[in-house]
């Protein structure tokens, strides 16, 4: 037997219009963490789905523990000891944590001739697993009581409960807090000590360099190479990913903030523990960052401004005029738009085309004879966006669900750029996006600000906020704890404000 | 070699995805070869007249289905509209006239008033119940179904309504410009189809409708007023049901409260066979027409071969289930 638990050789997979994988390779050693890297749409998720039995590969070989295998479905993969945490979560919110962990593989016991689910064993096992990982959740709690990042940890538990030889983690940290990431890394270490191999997909360079042993890089579905993580630097990885050198992570600042124009006054949530008495101002031509830990209620506040959440008080002014916002459609009419955090839940229209996904918010703006949608005009905008944001898609008629995660995000950003708003609120705009595309998005944000638009950017990535924003507002437990700019815009100061009310 | 396999797979997929349609067309050809009358003038015209009424109903249902709702009151709305049309268009000298002193009205005026009236009553109420009161569409419109039937029984006194004016019945039986293969009802359905095609594909209403069906949360964040769209879709549907009732009353030559009972299910089946997704967001006008057509051909085929009426129901039921199973399969099998 070779030193590898898993070897994937010359894997090819085509979808209508795209060769997603073109002779991709991956070799994983037992007890190692293997990072799989590449730009959005490089084929990372697809390669893993071929292994896990979600997609059927067109050609190539998968050798697992010395024998060639071909998983027809995830069930077969799990039985073989291959577990996967998906990039897009698939939780069942109104069932308990334990049920989510054991869904489809419930432990059974026999009562006479009938097999029934052994609930006691299920809850005990689940609780033991949670405890082992130092997660203090109750296995009986409904999944919906958890935050998105906690759900992600449960999803990871699910993979671990399968007692796997290989665990695939596809962007597991996209929505985790720093502390949770540490927890995850601890879990990964426990796994590798047991001899389990881990395949780790992420766009976060520092994590990759911290946790992985080897790095395999892919570009356009092709295998570029495998290196020891110890010999790689961020710059080298980026260069291999994009195929050229990328000098800076952030574009130079080109905007100059002007007068305060967008004013939010005394927003209070109907929920006591959510945001309370939040007031702030943003200037025209300003990029205002919003920092805070998960649970700081940043998303909730932004959604309340858009009319999506119940409030007991709160007013919004633009250039001195009070905006009457009761729903997102009111807000959009007033020129205020929101890019939501939850791409799958409230971002994409999966079965609609890329073109329709871009155009949907603007259909009333481009009319012929006052009733007919000017599809030509909209298509021009779509083509322009596809070019500007380098969206990888076979055509603008492709259903958006067939795009890679990062490319879906770019499509939704295009939707709001097409709308040309005065105030653009972006909640985690670069989540799951590769470095090259991040740079493009930062440039676009800068350009919009230069044109005099107000940008409010919520992000959990402090370096990104510091690199892009003119000023950063910090929140902690539903309150605004301060603003930093200039000299003060550093990690220590922001961290201090974000933990102001946390013991 | 590899190319070949790929193409085979494509052909296979095409066959499965359009399986029901293909099977029914083939069987039609077989029946037609055996019974030349099957493709005869009379039969084809009759088929088209039936299809026309059902297509108009299906277009109405489709608007609602694509937005992930449903309308179980469709058949009763059609029936009630037919009954109202009939009472207003009875011959002046007919003995059992419902409104003895009312002279027959202009039939086009009746048609227009019915469409507007139904949209503003049943359509609006359905829409409000489903959107503002958050009653699940299945239950809300089922309630409406029973209510309308009750009202219709009261309105007609549970009596059949006959003695319709010739102009009305002749129009339904007639052909466009004397072309035998083009019934007047078919022309109406065609115009409605064109209108719906335009509405679905080229107007903000259509774009928003597909978006809501695709992902209601995202639609709301994108500034689409879902309640308003839901109400409008039910109003559109009700107007089309009224039109279908007007057509059906004329075609039948007389009506009763039993008219069009259960037609919503035929319409839903037709839509689904034609590819309107039960998961929302997907559905094309061409598909709906094919779906309705195919379903009707199936029925007539069985009558022609002399299948016992009882069995035709069995076969229709099986076809619906298979069609939906194949539809759902498209979403599961993404390999
Ligand atoms: N089901 C599908 N149908 C059609 N095309 C698909 C499908 N799944 C993926 N693709 C295409 O395959 C390519 C690779 O996608 P994949 O999701 O593997 O990228 P990725 O490397 O995971 O990117 P990201 O970092 O954005 O998640 C993309 O061009 C995508 O559009
Ligand atoms: Mg991916």
């Amino acid at each position: 037997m070779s030193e590898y638990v898993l070897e994937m050789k010359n894997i090819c997979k085509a979808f209508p219009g795209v060769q997603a994988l073109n002779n991709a390779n991956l070799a994983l050693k037992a007890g190692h963490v293997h990072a799989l890297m590449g730009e959005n749409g490089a084929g990372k998720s697809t390669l893993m789905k071929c292994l896990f039995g979600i997609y059927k590969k067109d050609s190539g070989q998968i050798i697992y523990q010395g024998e060639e295998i071909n998983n027809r479905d995830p069930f077969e993969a799990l039985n073989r000891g291959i577990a996967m945490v998906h990039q897009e979560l698939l939780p069942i919110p109104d069932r308990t944590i334990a049920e989510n962990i054991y869904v489809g593989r419930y432990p059974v016991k026999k009562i006479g001739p009938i097999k029934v689910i052994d609930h006691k064993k299920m809850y005990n096992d689940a609780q033991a697993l949670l405890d082992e990982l130092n997660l203090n959740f109750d296995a009986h709690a409904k999944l919906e009581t958890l935050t998105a990042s906690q759900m992600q940890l449960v999803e990871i538990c699910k993979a671990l409960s399968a007692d796997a030889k290989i665990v695939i983690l596809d962007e597991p940290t996209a929505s985790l807090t720093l502390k949770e990431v540490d927890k995850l890394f601890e879990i990964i270490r426990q796994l590798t000590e047991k001899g389990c191999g881990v395949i780790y997909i992420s766009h976060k360079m520092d994590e990759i360099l911290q946790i992985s042993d080897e790095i395999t890089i892919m570009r356009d579905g092709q295998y570029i190479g495998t290196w020891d993580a110890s010999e790689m630097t961020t710059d080298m990885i980026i260069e291999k990913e994009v195929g050229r050198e990328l000098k800076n992570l952030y574009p130079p600042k080109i905007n100059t903030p002007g007068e305060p124009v967008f004013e939010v006054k005394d927003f209070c949530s109907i929920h006591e523990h959510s945001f309370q008495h939040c007031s702030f101002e943003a200037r025209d031509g300003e990029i205002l960052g919003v920092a805070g830990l998960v649970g700081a209620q940043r998303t909730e506040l932004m959604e309340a401004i858009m009319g999506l959440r119940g409030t007991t008080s709160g007013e919004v002014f633009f250039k001195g005029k009070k905006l009457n916002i009761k729903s997102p459609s009111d807000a959009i009419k007033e020129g205020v738009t929101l890019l939501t955090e939850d791409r799958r839940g409230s971002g994409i229209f999966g079965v609609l085309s890329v073109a329709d996904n871009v155009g949907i918010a603007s259909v009333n703006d481009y009319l012929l004879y006052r009733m007919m949608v000017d599809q030509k005009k909209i298509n021009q905008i779509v083509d322009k966006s596809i070019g500007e944001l380098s969206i990888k898609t076979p055509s603008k008629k492709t259903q958006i669900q067939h795009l890679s995660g990062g490319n879906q995000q770019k499509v939704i950003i295009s939707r709001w750029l097409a709308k040309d708003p005065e105030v653009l609120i972006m909640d985690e705009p670069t989540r799951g996006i590769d470095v090259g595309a991040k740079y493009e998005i930062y440039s676009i944000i800068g350009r919009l600000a230069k044109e005099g638009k107000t940008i409010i950017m919520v992000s959990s990535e402090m370096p990104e906020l510091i690199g892009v924003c003119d000023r950063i507002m910090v929140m902690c437990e539903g309150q605004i704890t301060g603003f930093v700019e200039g000299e003060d815009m550093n990690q220590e100061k922001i961290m201090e404000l974000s933990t102001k009310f946390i013991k | 070699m590899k190319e070949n396999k790929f193409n085979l797979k494509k052909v296979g997929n095409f066959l499965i995805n359009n399986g029901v349609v293909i099977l029914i067309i083939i069987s039609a050809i077989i029946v037609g070869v055996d019974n030349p009358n099957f493709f005869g003038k009379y039969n084809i015209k009759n088929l088209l007249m039936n299809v026309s009424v059902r297509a108009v109903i299906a277009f109405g249902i489709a608007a609602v289905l694509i937005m992930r709702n449903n309308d179980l009151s469709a058949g009763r709305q059609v029936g009630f509209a037919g009954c109202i049309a009939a009472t207003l268009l009875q011959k002046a000298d007919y003995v059992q006239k419902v409104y003895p002193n009312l002279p027959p009205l202009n039939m086009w005026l009746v048609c227009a008033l019915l469409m507007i009236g139904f949209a503003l009553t049943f359509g609006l109420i359905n829409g409000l119940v489903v959107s503002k009161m958050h009653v699940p569409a299945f239950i809300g419109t089922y309630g409406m179904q029973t209510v309308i039937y009750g009202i219709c029984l009261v309105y007609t006194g549970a009596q059949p309504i006959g003695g319709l004016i010739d102009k009305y019945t002749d129009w339904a039986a007639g052909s466009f410009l004397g072309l035998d293969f083009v019934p007047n009802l078919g022309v109406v359905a065609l115009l409605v189809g064109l209108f719906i095609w335009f509405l679905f594909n080229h107007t903000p209403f259509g774009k928003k409708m597909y978006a809501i069906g695709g992902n209601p949360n995202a639609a709301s964040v994108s500034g689409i007023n879902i309640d308003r769209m839901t109400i409008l879709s039910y109003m559109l549907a009700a107007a089309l049901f009224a039109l279908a009732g007007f057509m059906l009353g004329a075609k039948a030559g007389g009506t009763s409260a039993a008219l069009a009972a259960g037609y919503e299910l035929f319409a839903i089946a037709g839509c689904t066979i034609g590819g309107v997704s039960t998961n929302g967001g997907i559905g094309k006008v061409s598909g709906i027409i094919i779906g309705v057509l195919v379903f009707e051909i199936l029925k007539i085929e069985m009558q022609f071969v002399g299948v016992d009426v009882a069995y035709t129901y069995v076969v229709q039921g099986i076809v619906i289930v298979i069609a939906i199973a194949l539809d759902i399969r498209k979403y599961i099998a993404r390999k």
Side-chain angles (χ1 to χ4, degrees), chain A residues 53-55 72 328-329 332 340 344-349 352 356 360-361 363-364 367 371-373 375 401 415-416, chain B residues 2 198 201-204 207-208 210-212 214-215 217-225 280-282 331 334-335:
Chain A
I54 295 175
Y55 293 148
R72 273 164 305 173
S329 63
I332 292 166
T340 58
R344 208 171 127 100
S346 57
I348 63 165
F349 300 98
L352 301 193
D356 282 341
I360 188 65
V363 284
N364 284 334
L367 293 184
M371 56 169 199
M372 189 173 162
V373 175
Q375 196 61 48
Q401 63 186 2
R415 178 188 302 161
W416 296 120
Chain B
K2 208 178 114 203
F198 179 79
N201 294 294
H202 291 284
T203 66
K207 297 273 177 195
K208 292 177 185 175
Y210 285 109
I212 294 175
N215 182 346
N217 293 331
S220 151
V221 182
S222 301
I224 297 171
N225 187 331
I282 299 178
Y331 300 94
R334 287 233 227 87
K335 293 197 174 182

Side-chain angles (χ1 to χ4, degrees), chain B residues 23-312:
Chain B
L23 272 182
I24 290 175
I25 291 174
I26 292 174
S27 59
I29 294 172
I30 296 172
V31 175
V33 170
D34 253 14
N35 311 271
N37 281 344
F38 185 72
F39 287 118
K41 217 159 56 174
Y42 172 77
N43 196 35
I44 295 288
K45 185 176 175 192
N46 190 33
L47 173 77
L48 288 179
M49 283 165 66
N50 277 334
V51 166
S52 301
V53 176
R54 288 174 188 225
V56 172
I57 303 172
F59 291 140
I61 289 260
V64 179
L65 282 182
I66 290 173
M67 286 174 58
R68 299 191 180 188
N69 288 320
N70 213 320
D71 193 344
L72 295 185
S73 67
R76 292 301 181 193
Q77 288 196 45
V78 173
F80 190 30
C83 289
I84 299 178
T87 56
L88 299 179
L89 296 170
Q90 283 178 309
K91 287 179 188 148
D93 52 358
Y94 187 61
V95 198
Q96 289 171 311
K97 217 163 170 306
V98 177
Y99 300 113
N101 299 321
L102 185 80
L105 304 175
N106 177 311
M107 62 187 256
W108 300 118
L109 179 71
V110 169
C111 177
L113 287 178
L114 276 173
M115 289 176 70
I116 297 170
F118 270 54
L120 289 177
T121 52
F122 304 124
L124 184 65
I125 296 171
N126 270 337
L128 286 172
V129 166
V130 172
S131 65
K132 298 287 181 200
M133 288 162 66
H134 304 285
V135 178
F138 229 76
I139 300 298
T141 58
Y142 175 64
M144 182 58 96
Q145 177 193 88
T146 350
V147 169
I148 296 177
Y149 183 50
I151 297 177
C152 189
L153 280 174
V154 174
Y155 183 80
T156 57
Q159 294 300 316
I161 300 153
L164 308 184
I165 56 171
D166 293 337
K167 196 179 161 209
Y168 182 42
T169 49
D170 287 351
W171 167 74
S175 294
F176 184 64
L177 298 178
L179 297 166
D180 277 334
F181 283 103
V182 193
N184 283 333
L185 295 181
V187 175
V188 175
L190 199 69
L191 290 177
V192 173
L194 279 175
F195 168 73
I196 291 288
W197 172 81
F198 179 79
L199 186 73
F200 282 14
N201 294 294
H202 291 284
T203 66
F205 177 89
K207 297 273 177 195
K208 292 177 185 175
M209 179 183 83
Y210 285 109
I212 294 175
N215 182 346
N217 293 331
S220 151
V221 182
S222 301
I224 297 171
N225 187 331
I226 296 183
D227 288 354
R228 185 163 161 258
M229 285 291 297
T230 305
I231 294 169
L232 284 176
S233 71
Y234 276 104
M235 289 175 66
L236 169 70
L240 291 180
F241 299 152
L243 174 61
F246 176 82
M247 293 160 74
L248 189 61
K251 180 173 163 287
T255 67
S256 78
L259 189 72
Y263 272 31
E264 59 273 349
L265 296 178
F266 292 119
I268 294 169
C271 283
T272 317
I273 294 173
V276 177
S277 166
T278 37
N279 297 321
I282 299 178
K284 290 203 287 200
V285 171
S286 54
I288 298 166
I289 295 175
I290 290 175
V292 174
L293 196 60
V294 154
F295 205 64
E296 201 60 32
I297 292 178
L298 175 75
K299 230 173 56 187
I300 298 194
E301 246 172 53
M302 288 190 289
Q303 286 167 9
F304 247 80
V305 189
V307 177
D308 186 335
V309 185
Y311 290 112
T312 63

